[in-house]
Amino acid sequence: MTLVLAGCSGAQSTFDTAGVEAESVLSLFWVMLAGSTAIWLFVVGLSIYATKANPEAHSEKAGVRLIIWGGCVFPVVTLSALLVFGLGMMPEFRRAADGPTIAVSGERFWWRIHYEVEGEPGVVRSLPRNGVESANELVLPVGRRTELLLGSPDVIHSFWVPSIAGKTDAIPGRVNRLVLEPTREGVYNGVCAEFCGEAHAQMGLRVIVLSETDYAVRVAAEAAPAALLDHPGRALFSANGCNACHTVRGTGDDGHKVGPDLTHLAARRTLAAGVLPMTPENIGRFIASTDHVKPGVEMPVFDTLSEDDVASIADWLGRLK
Ligand code: CUA
């Protein structure tokens, strides 16, 4: 029992809640569990009684009455009550956001994040991309209702941070809205909950809930250009075409916003959407063998680079806090 319950806590558990919506979902779960357990015990008890009881002891009329009350009236009343209870939670989820708006795009196989986006998604229903870009790590202010605009440029993904809220799909061609209201500071894990291709299971997300002040500091840091531009790795990064996909703001390399923005890569906790801890060694390992580290990843293997060049690029990227 202890072992089983130990699985119910942690950074990625619907039982270890840290958000208003997740708390409602959990209370709904407990009500349904308690109700279904009581009904199950009653029905099993009744079945055991039926096998022991003498059929002559009850009239046919009593049997018909049991079917009408137990088989029709009881389920209608119970399920209606459950429906009312469930619907009663909805207005809470629908309350307007009073915090920032953040655009989150599910990509194969990582999460693109834009803070401080301005304006509504247009008629073309594409996500605004005008804010401060980051990837795979979402920072939220505690106690505020943050609105996420969810979309995707390729296939359907599903955004799910079990400790904070229920899942919402990120669908190409439209924008779904999800309001997150974290109640506790901390680091939580999120996943992609819709099969989207080979590396679907390696499409992790870290959600970091900070105080409002720390949130503002963190977003301002994210908005700043990269430091340390006179490192030899920076020249190798451009010379070897890394900048064709990746942007490092401040270097003049736009990167066409194909892959994750690397401006503050080293400030993130993990590499390749939750696959590896963020260290220069792991960055090098990933560049030289993307297909081994994360099978199905869109980034090609750069095994033509010398070990020294990879180490130098990794060293530079590993310093971009
Ligand atoms: Cu993205 Cu599964």
Side-chain angles (χ1 to χ4, degrees):
M1 195 67 177
T2 313
L3 279 175
V4 169
L5 289 176
C8 296
S9 63
Q12 193 179 312
S13 171
T14 47
F15 290 95
D16 202 349
T17 59
V20 171
E21 190 178 318
E23 279 155 20
S24 298
V25 171
L26 184 61
S27 51
L28 182 64
F29 170 79
W30 287 124
V31 166
M32 289 177 72
L33 184 70
S36 54
T37 305
I39 293 167
W40 182 77
L41 287 173
F42 177 71
V43 171
V44 168
L46 208 59
S47 311
I48 293 170
Y49 171 76
T51 58
K52 310 256 182 218
N54 176 10
E56 310 296 316
H58 300 284
S59 66
E60 205 179 318
K61 228 173 167 185
V64 171
R65 226 181 297 137
L66 178 69
I67 289 170
I68 290 173
W69 285 96
C72 301
V73 178
F74 180 74
V76 168
V77 169
T78 313
L79 293 176
S80 302
L82 191 61
L83 181 68
V84 170
F85 180 71
L87 289 178
M89 291 176 165
M90 301 293 264
E92 177 75 17
F93 302 161
R94 297 262 172 245
R95 267 198 304 127
D98 63 357
T101 302
I102 302 174
V104 177
S105 174
E107 318 247 338
R108 281 181 298 176
F109 299 93
W110 56 283
W111 301 94
R112 187 193 298 276
I113 292 158
H114 280 95
Y115 298 99
E116 295 180 348
V117 291
E118 275 174 33
E120 285 289 294
V123 268
V124 287
R125 287 188 161 277
S126 61
L127 286 175
R129 275 200 178 187
N130 51 16
V132 178
E133 181 158 346
S134 185
N136 300 326
E137 216 171 81
L138 176 65
V139 188
L140 298 174
V142 73
R144 295 296 293 271
R145 294 178 64 74
T146 299
E147 183 167 62
L148 299 190
L149 305 174
L150 293 165
S152 166
D154 42 51
V155 297
I156 300 177
H157 304 268
S158 185
F159 177 94
W160 190 28
V161 186
S163 298
I164 298 179
K167 56 188 84 148
T168 301
D169 281 1
I171 300 170
R174 61 167 292 143
V175 178
N176 282 344
R177 289 158 192 273
L178 171 68
V179 174
L180 297 181
E181 186 175 351
T183 50
R184 193 151 50 86
E185 287 177 38
V187 180
Y188 307 96
N189 289 352
V191 293
C192 176
E194 175 84 34
F195 182 72
C196 53
E198 215 176 341
H200 152 73
Q202 291 176 308
M203 192 171 160
L205 175 81
R206 291 285 179 286
V207 175
I208 296 147
V209 179
L210 300 172
S211 70
E212 267 190 79
T213 324
D214 290 347
Y215 170 82
V217 169
R218 176 68 196 264
V219 173
E222 201 72 63
L228 196 77
L229 298 179
D230 56 351
H231 189 285
R234 181 244 178 284
L236 287 165
F237 181 84
S238 302
N240 289 291
C242 307
N243 59 355
C245 294
H246 295 287
T247 299
V248 178
R249 277 174 279 125
T251 59
D253 295 332
D254 173 352
H256 310 291
K257 304 202 177 222
V258 178
D261 185 297
L262 304 180
T263 311
H264 301 289
L265 177 69
R268 298 176 203 150
R269 286 166 169 71
T270 66
L271 179 68
V275 174
L276 292 171
M278 185 64 75
T279 63
E281 295 71 38
N282 282 339
I283 297 172
R285 215 179 116 201
F286 186 61
I287 295 171
S289 55
T290 48
D291 58 339
H292 285 277
V293 176
K294 189 170 174 174
V297 71
E298 306 249 308
M299 178 170 154
V301 183
F302 282 81
D303 53 1
T304 46
L305 292 177
S306 72
E307 254 176 61
D308 287 348
D309 287 0
V310 169
S312 179
I313 293 171
D315 185 70
W316 177 54
L317 293 172
R319 291 166 192 267
L320 296 180
K321 293 269 183 192

